[in-house]
Amino acid sequence: MLRFLLMRIASAIPVLAILSLVTFAIIQAPPGDYADYIRSQLINQGGASFAEADAQAQAYRVEHGLDKPLPVQYLNWIGGIVTRGDFGYSLYYNKPVAEVVGERLPRTLLLALVCHLLASVLGITFGIWAATRQYTWIDSTLSAIAFLGMTVPRFLMALIIVYLLVFQFNVSEIGSFFSPQYGGAPWSWAKFVDLVKHVWPVVAIATFGGLAYNMRVMRGNLLDTLNAQYVETAKAKGLTGSAVVMRHAVPNALHPLVMYQGVVLPYMLTGEIETAIIFALPTVGPAIVGSMAVGDVYVTATFMMVLSATLIVGNIIADMLLVLLDPRVRQFGEG
């Protein structure tokens, strides 16, 4: 197991290198950069002439190395990461990229992990419940909920909740994690309650979508597994229905959901883009969209690298979980 883990980590290094190169090239492919954004701002908001704005934009481009060829910019960026742990400087946020990532990534990860945990536990539980009560009103109700969760766009649900909160319940504190009095206060039960009051719409929307997917997959896989020969054999041996389901059917039906963990980490980080933008929460999603809009290439490239790394880490975690779940995988790996 340790050897397999080390091999996967070693193979991830060249994959990350290739992904960083491709990502950087794609981000730089559209015409324009942050200097062009500065020029447009000077003209539209500063009242400068085109010549004056263009001169300042060119000076800014030279000062920050944006005038250099694309390969040189990439080598400078990746060299700073490898040698100094320097991910570059955010031109839009006017601070090191590491600080931008450090401010947004932990809170996004925590928020996404809570949503994923709730979606997994509730979705798998409801999927088992629906499969073991096939064609009953419980199964029909849960299937309808899953259908809504997978078809209704998240941004639409977010807009509806924003409308209800603002225009029906007169809630004014939208767009932050805390009320002003708790922003810099130490953690307490009151601050935690205030956090829940601010983030519950995002958690509810993200959990609803993930719950629907997990429930549909679990229900379908469990129904197939319950008709398998080894399940019929277990029933013939006299095992109770709950023992057959939980001990034999459920572990095998979980395989697709375990492998899904390999792609769920980056999805957790970006899946809240629509909701976070509508609620104006300072998380990873709006930062990616905002940096791409103004040409802040180092922020965009770093966040895309983070997503690539989480995808690789997620696949490794999924492999480990599958090995722990299924003894046949362990035997095949040892052989």
Side-chain angles (χ1 to χ4, degrees):
M1 179 70 71
L2 180 60
R3 180 173 175 270
F4 171 77
L5 180 61
L6 294 175
M7 290 179 60
R8 289 297 302 272
I9 294 175
S11 64
I13 296 176
V15 173
L16 278 177
I18 295 174
L19 287 174
S20 68
L21 176 61
V22 173
T23 300
F24 198 85
I26 292 176
I27 293 172
Q28 293 278 42
D33 54 19
Y34 192 73
D36 293 317
Y37 171 76
I38 290 179
R39 181 174 57 200
S40 65
Q41 291 295 103
L42 290 173
I43 295 174
N44 297 329
Q45 298 184 10
S49 65
F50 179 83
E52 294 172 341
D54 188 63
Q56 294 189 43
Q58 292 296 338
Y60 191 91
R61 187 177 284 114
V62 172
E63 179 184 358
H64 291 85
L66 300 178
D67 61 324
K68 293 181 171 58
L70 179 60
V72 176
Q73 293 187 44
Y74 170 76
L75 290 176
N76 290 337
W77 175 63
I78 205 70
I81 295 176
V82 174
T83 59
R84 304 185 305 273
D86 181 10
F87 291 87
Y89 193 82
S90 172
L91 308 176
Y92 180 74
Y93 294 100
N94 197 27
K95 63 177 68 175
V97 174
E99 293 186 14
V100 179
V101 176
E103 290 172 357
R104 293 174 177 262
L105 186 60
R107 64 182 65 163
T108 307
L109 273 175
L110 183 60
L111 186 63
L113 286 172
V114 170
C115 297
H116 177 59
L117 181 62
L118 290 174
S120 298
V121 173
L122 294 176
I124 292 173
T125 301
F126 289 159
I128 296 173
W129 202 15
T132 53
R133 292 162 176 80
Q134 189 180 18
Y135 302 132
T136 65
W137 68 269
I138 295 177
D139 182 27
S140 301
T141 302
L142 293 177
S143 297
I145 293 174
F147 175 78
L148 290 175
M150 296 188 69
T151 55
V152 178
R154 293 188 179 188
F155 74 88
L156 179 60
M157 289 189 283
L159 287 173
I160 293 173
I161 291 179
V162 168
Y163 173 79
L164 293 176
L165 290 176
V166 174
F167 295 100
Q168 301 299 322
F169 298 99
N170 297 320
V171 177
S172 59
E173 294 180 354
I174 292 180
S176 61
F177 284 96
F178 300 101
S179 300
Q181 64 268 28
Y182 292 107
W187 277 103
S188 62
W189 177 252
K191 184 174 181 178
F192 174 76
V193 172
D194 184 72
L195 173 64
V196 173
K197 289 180 180 179
H198 283 77
V199 303
W200 74 262
V202 178
V203 173
I205 293 171
T207 300
F208 186 47
L211 177 153
Y213 175 84
N214 288 320
M215 180 164 50
R216 284 179 64 89
V217 173
M218 189 64 198
R219 178 186 179 276
N221 291 336
L222 187 55
L223 286 174
D224 290 339
T225 306
L226 288 174
N227 294 323
Q229 186 64 44
Y230 66 90
V231 174
E232 298 296 333
T233 303
K235 293 178 181 178
K237 290 182 177 180
L239 293 178
T240 61
S242 59
V244 171
V245 171
M246 300 307 298
R247 191 182 306 172
H248 296 279
V250 169
N252 288 286
L254 281 173
H255 285 189
L257 289 177
V258 170
M259 295 308 299
Y260 172 65
Q261 310 310 307
V263 298
V264 75
L265 280 176
Y267 176 77
M268 286 192 301
L269 296 180
T270 59
E272 41 73 56
I273 287 181
E274 309 100 316
T275 308
I277 289 176
I278 292 173
F279 283 93
L281 289 178
T283 54
V284 165
I288 295 176
V289 176
S291 62
M292 291 181 65
V294 300
D296 197 356
V297 60
Y298 299 117
V299 171
T300 307
T302 300
F303 273 125
M304 298 307 294
M305 282 285 291
V306 170
L307 296 181
S308 301
T310 56
L311 179 61
I312 294 172
V313 171
N315 278 285
I316 294 175
I317 293 175
D319 290 340
M320 298 297 105
L321 291 175
L322 193 58
V323 168
L324 294 175
L325 181 65
D326 194 339
R328 295 172 298 178
V329 178
R330 289 198 297 269
Q331 293 174 1
F332 179 76
E334 292 172 359

